[in-house]
Structures are given as C-alpha cells and as structure tokens.
Amino acid sequence: VFQGRILAQRLVGQETRYEVEVKTPYRHRFPLVAREYVWVPNTCSCPPLRTGREYLLMARRHVNYERTLNRILLQDNGYARPWTPREGRLVREAARHC
C-alpha cells in the first residue's frame, strides 16, 4: 500500500503501464523506489487512473513462473482510490494494527 502520483501512462501490448512517483509507502513487503512502474493487465483503464493525480494504491508483486518478470501489478479489482488526507490517516491507523 502506498501513496503515489501518476506521472505517465502507456499502452504496452494488452496491458497499461503507469509511471508512478512513490510519495509515501505505508505497508510494503517488497522494497519500493522513488519511481516505479505499475502494470494493469488491461487497456480499458480499469481502475481509472489520471495523469497528475495522487492515489492510494494497493498493488502486489508479480513474478512469473520462469522468474524472468518481476513487476508491480494492480489488478482490475485492485484498490486504487484518489488520495485524500482522510485516506492517509486511515491507512496510518490500520498500519499500526497490522
């Protein structure tokens, strides 16, 4: 779970790749750097993310069977909400209990 700003969007084959500036990592099981690519396995913009806006994203690490692909994946039904101070407060509170 992290707060990030969408910097760019690009369609790559049947997927969408977002370049994201990681603002605040709240809960992560793998290291995040200041800029990451977040992949969505469709081209329909589901979930809808707009360039220049900040979101609270809950994504997972995807490593393929051959271990040749290691990326951050935001599934169609993944958690992607516009970031608000309230969302940030709720996530910080939840992180203390998890």
Side-chain angles (χ1 to χ4, degrees), residues 36-50:
E36 292 281 2
Y37 287 122
V38 175
W39 292 83
V40 177
N42 62 50
T43 57
C44 70
S45 296
C46 303
L49 303 176
R50 292 186 152 164

Side-chain angles (χ1 to χ4, degrees), residues 9-21:
Q9 173 186 352
R10 181 175 181 197
L11 298 179
V12 179
Q14 296 296 314
E15 298 179 309
T16 306
R17 182 185 77 184
Y18 293 96
E19 184 178 352
V20 179
E21 175 187 0

Side-chain angles (χ1 to χ4, degrees), residues 15 22 27 56 65 69 86 90 92:
E15 298 179 309
V22 177
R27 179 105 175 142
L56 185 64
Y65 181 73
L69 186 63
R86 180 179 180 274
L90 291 173
R92 280 192 300 277

